[in-house]
Amino acid sequence: MSNIVKSNAVDTVERAAEALARGGLIGMPTETVYGLAGSAANEQALSKIFDVKGRPIGHPLIVHLSSLDELDRYALSVPQAAVALIGACWPGPLTVLLQRSRHVSDLITGNRSTVAIRIPANECARSIIAMHGHAVAAPSANRFGHVSPTTAQHVLDDLGEHVDLIVDDGPCTIGVESTIIDFTSPVPQLLRPGGFALEDLEELMGIHVAAPEGESRASGMLESHYAPQGKVLLVNSLSEAKSVLSAHPEARLISHWESLPLYAASLYAQMRQADHDGVPLIVAITPAPSGLGRAICDRLKKASHP
Ligand code: TXA
Ligand code: MG
């Protein structure tokens, strides 16, 4: 029997909050991708997240809040630039990296002095977190290194009965993960391009965001990540795609490349469908790397890495 429940059923939020309170894990909808959520206040739930995902311990998790009031509990300090950005962008697909408080579990931060935090725009997610009464830690609800889930069915396909409940709120509207900005360095750094366009964030703050420096700190920054089983070939134009497709009848073109929002919203579902159909070669047109195109390029590049 499937453990998927509809987000609009009367008792869904309550059931999800009960599962979290018991130390269980839920598939939680967000506007970016579905998360595998466990209570940030329960060490057993946190370690179960790593087990279920097959994620190496030490890859830190994002803390999800339902409201701004809880921020001070988890962050030691919030720099002025972050305050401005958070005020304008939350709830939404922005994650900020801040100095952690002592209330954050080492399992969440991977023993780092920093913590990643966001407030999701998805209302059902916020209701669940609010009813739980604590923050939740939620990585994307996929097996480690696999394509992120953008529907409840994707969560079921990857994690099946290992989650207590999967809350189905329909397909994610944005479809790529949140943008992560590190505010613990002297100049804010972009750790992961995502659902919030970098250009918009820079305009809101009135400052330039730097490229990430030092060793790879976000697992999303590993060269190969978000990868389907089929080989992914990147091309620059439709005409290039057409010549590959005519030489390789077994290949499939990822569609919706004409519209960045549609491309982002459908990218992971299309990769999963191609795997499901046994497509050995996936062809994707790389968009210009600006706006939402920056995140799409990043995910395509990682998916195509051998
Ligand atoms: O849109 C999203 O952010 C989704 C939804 C579910 O909210 N979540 C998500 O989580 O993408 P995950 O675990 O798949 O990716 C979190 C990224 C990882 O690359 C992780 O390394 C990075 O955030 N991260 C978390 N805490 C960090 C920290 N303290 N320092 C550096 N990177 C951190
Ligand atoms: Mg992930």
Side-chain angles (χ1 to χ4, degrees):
M1 208 191 72
S2 151
N3 49 359
I4 296 183
V5 295
K6 291 279 180 205
S7 59
N8 59 2
V10 278
D11 58 348
T12 294
V13 170
E14 212 176 317
R15 283 178 64 186
E18 272 168 21
L20 291 170
R22 281 198 307 270
L25 301 185
I26 63 164
M28 181 179 80
T30 86
E31 71 281 19
T32 57
V33 300
Y34 274 73
L36 175 66
S39 177
N42 186 316
E43 296 279 311
Q44 269 165 10
L46 294 172
S47 64
K48 214 186 302 171
I49 288 177
F50 291 90
D51 288 350
V52 165
K53 265 187 76 90
R55 178 169 171 136
I57 290 275
H59 282 262
L61 307 174
I62 297 176
V63 169
H64 293 63
L65 309 178
S66 65
S67 93
L68 213 47
D69 305 339
E70 304 147 39
L71 183 59
D72 287 346
R73 179 169 172 79
Y74 300 96
L76 204 55
S77 61
V78 188
Q80 207 44 50
V83 173
L85 198 60
I86 284 168
C89 304
W90 279 359
L94 169 74
T95 295
V96 294
L97 202 70
L98 301 168
Q99 294 298 339
R100 64 180 277 191
S101 79
R102 63 187 169 82
H103 296 291
V104 186
S105 161
D106 286 336
L107 280 169
I108 290 178
T109 67
N111 283 314
R112 289 166 179 75
S113 60
T114 57
V115 59
I117 303 181
R118 87 179 190 99
I119 300 182
N122 184 285
E123 283 186 27
C124 181
R126 292 207 309 277
S127 303
I128 293 169
I129 300 165
M131 183 166 277
H132 175 53
H134 296 281
V136 304
S140 50
N142 52 280
R143 304 266 316 152
F144 184 67
H146 192 203
V147 178
S148 296
T150 54
T151 67
Q153 183 63 46
H154 294 162
V155 181
L156 186 69
D157 292 344
D158 261 36
L159 307 178
E161 306 302 320
H162 296 296
V163 284
D164 294 55
L165 202 72
I166 301 170
V167 178
D168 183 359
D169 194 38
C172 299
T173 51
I174 294 179
V176 290
E177 297 83 349
S178 59
T179 302
I180 307 180
I181 306 283
D182 180 356
F183 281 100
T184 66
S185 51
V187 178
Q189 293 182 9
L190 175 69
L191 294 193
R192 179 176 73 183
F196 225 116
L198 179 65
E199 294 82 353
D200 296 343
L201 298 178
E202 288 184 323
E203 201 183 313
L204 281 167
M205 290 190 290
I207 52 170
H208 176 67
V209 174
E213 259 177 26
E215 29 130 24
S216 163
R217 280 173 300 162
S219 67
M221 290 163 72
L222 298 175
E223 279 189 335
S224 171
H225 210 68
Y226 313 101
Q229 273 133 44
K231 181 173 169 344
V232 177
L233 181 71
L234 304 185
V235 297
N236 289 311
S237 64
L238 182 59
S239 60
E240 214 184 309
K242 280 181 175 161
S243 65
V244 174
L245 290 164
S246 63
H248 297 276
E250 75 285 8
R252 180 185 295 177
L253 176 67
I254 302 265
S255 62
H256 296 309
W257 51 272
E258 312 92 324
S259 150
L260 290 181
L262 282 182
Y263 204 10
S266 66
L267 182 63
Y268 292 150
Q270 292 195 66
M271 285 182 182
R272 282 174 175 266
Q273 188 63 47
D275 274 350
H276 179 265
D277 299 341
V279 175
L281 181 63
I282 300 167
V283 182
I285 300 173
T286 352
S290 59
L292 200 46
R294 194 186 305 270
I296 297 171
C297 282
D298 173 76
R299 307 306 190 266
L300 286 175
K301 217 167 119 192
K302 281 165 182 151
S304 71
H305 198 267

